[in-house]
């Protein structure tokens, strides 16, 4: 009976000891890892736990972009759009002021042309008059 008890204890001890050990293939070294440690082979890429993985060539042959780089590119794009819109607003404002100034200028040219024509008509009429009465009869 003692013999069976000894055999049973040796058997239990070897099971517990076996559970505590591990073996590695030839040429490999065992390692203990902490909770956040990662193991990657030299041919693998290690990524964060919250990384999003895609199939190869999901986007195109150039690969992928990190979210922070994409956000930076979007911010730069938005800045360029804001500057473009600001310049466009300024250009439209200048174009509108130029249109108003051109219209005013055209109106002044037409008014000056009418005044010049009236002046020429008056000069012609007065120049052809031989008496004061004829000159006073000229209408402007």
């Amino acid at each position: 009976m003692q013999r069976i008890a000894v055999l049973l204890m040796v058997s239990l001890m070897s099971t517990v000891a076996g559970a505590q050990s591990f073996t590695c293939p030839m040429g490999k070294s065992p390692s203990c890892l902490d909770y956040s440690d990662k193991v990657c082979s030299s041919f693998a890429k290690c990524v964060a736990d919250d990384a999003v993985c895609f199939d190869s060539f999901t986007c195109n042959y150039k690969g992928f972009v990190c979210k922070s780089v994409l956000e930076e590119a979007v911010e730069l794009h938005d800045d360029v759009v804001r500057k473009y819109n600001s310049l466009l607003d300024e250009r439209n404002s200048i174009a509108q002021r130029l249109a108003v100034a051109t219209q005013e200028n055209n109106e002044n040219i037409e008014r000056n042309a009418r005044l010049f024509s009236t002046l020429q008509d008056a000069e012609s009429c007065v120049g052809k008059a031989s008496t004061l009465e004829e000159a006073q009869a000229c209408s402007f």
Side-chain angles (χ1 to χ4, degrees):
M1 190 69 147
Q2 278 184 332
R3 210 171 194 207
I4 293 177
V6 169
L7 281 174
L8 185 59
M9 280 179 41
V10 168
S11 169
L12 283 175
M13 288 176 69
S14 65
T15 303
V16 171
Q20 295 291 328
S21 66
F22 55 89
T23 59
C24 293
M26 188 140 181
K28 303 282 183 175
S29 301
S31 175
C32 294
L33 299 176
D34 225 353
Y35 177 76
S36 63
D37 290 346
K38 295 186 184 322
V39 176
C40 299
S41 73
S42 59
F43 301 108
K45 292 183 180 179
C46 289
V47 296
D49 293 339
D50 61 349
V52 176
C53 297
F54 299 93
D55 289 335
S56 297
F57 306 112
T58 297
C59 295
N60 61 26
Y61 67 92
K62 294 180 182 178
F64 299 95
V65 64
C66 294
K67 183 179 178 190
S68 59
V69 173
L70 178 63
E71 288 173 347
E72 183 179 330
V74 168
E75 287 174 11
L76 289 173
H77 170 268
D78 290 347
D79 287 345
V80 169
V81 168
R82 274 190 293 279
K83 288 176 185 175
Y84 171 82
N85 287 336
S86 175
L87 289 172
L88 184 62
D89 289 344
E90 186 177 343
R91 178 248 177 230
N92 289 340
S93 175
I94 290 170
Q96 186 177 8
R97 288 194 312 258
L98 181 61
V100 168
T102 300
Q103 179 64 32
E104 290 173 355
N105 189 40
N106 289 342
E107 290 171 1
N108 286 337
I109 289 171
E110 290 174 11
R111 183 177 46 102
N112 288 342
R114 284 191 308 272
L115 289 172
F116 185 71
S117 177
T118 301
L119 177 62
Q120 283 180 325
D121 291 344
E123 284 179 345
S124 176
C125 183
V126 170
K128 291 179 184 176
S130 53
T131 66
L132 181 59
E133 289 79 24
E134 286 178 358
Q136 289 175 340
C138 291
S139 62
F140 310 115

